């Protein structure tokens, strides 16, 4: 018997989970996607900025209990959109973990109007 058709909400949650599998920081694997009109505009996962050493290769750089070598999944997705001229006003962000305070401000400033996450992020919320 075929599996029941999943909702779009579940589809987008699962896609964010798949992007988390690309994470290169061993401390936490986070993935996200940004949606408009039920279409994926961009994606991101936490890891080192392009062209720099990954945590899994060179180790994490820890300051104040945070890895500063890696950028957050939300930062990666929003910076991709900025580089490629993708407007994010009125969009929805799906992310595997609740955004930190910094990422929440960045998301709001980008015009993203809804955030959906699965797991809490307890450091500074």
């Amino acid at each position: 018997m075929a599996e029941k058709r999943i909702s779009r909400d579940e589809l987008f949650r699962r896609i964010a989970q798949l992007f988390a599998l690309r994470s290169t920081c061993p401390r936490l694997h986070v993935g996200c996607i940004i949606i408009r009109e039920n279409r994926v505009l961009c994606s991101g996962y936490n890891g080192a900025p392009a062209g720099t050493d990954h945590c899994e290769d060179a180790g994490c750089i820890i300051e104040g209990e945070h890895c500063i070598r890696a950028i957050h999944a939300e930062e990666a997705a929003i910076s991709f959109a900025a580089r490629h001229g993708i407007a994010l006003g009125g969009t929805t962000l799906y992310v595997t973990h609740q955004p930190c305070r910094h990422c929440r401000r960045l998301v709001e400033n980008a015009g993203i109007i809804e955030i959906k996450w699965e797991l809490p992020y307890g450091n500074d919320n």
Side-chain angles (χ1 to χ4, degrees), residues 27 38 40 57 62 76-77 80 83-84 96 112 120-121 123:
R27 294 180 49 125
N38 295 316
V40 178
D57 298 326
I62 305 299
F80 177 89
R83 274 194 321 275
H84 295 281
T96 55
I112 297 168
Y121 179 76
N123 284 347

Side-chain angles (χ1 to χ4, degrees), residues 22-26 45-61 67-71:
R22 294 281 305 150
S23 172
T24 61
C25 184
Y45 53 87
N46 62 319
T52 64
D53 292 332
H54 294 287
C55 297
E56 62 188 12
D57 298 326
C60 293
I61 300 173
C67 176
I68 62 165
R69 182 184 301 278
I71 63 170

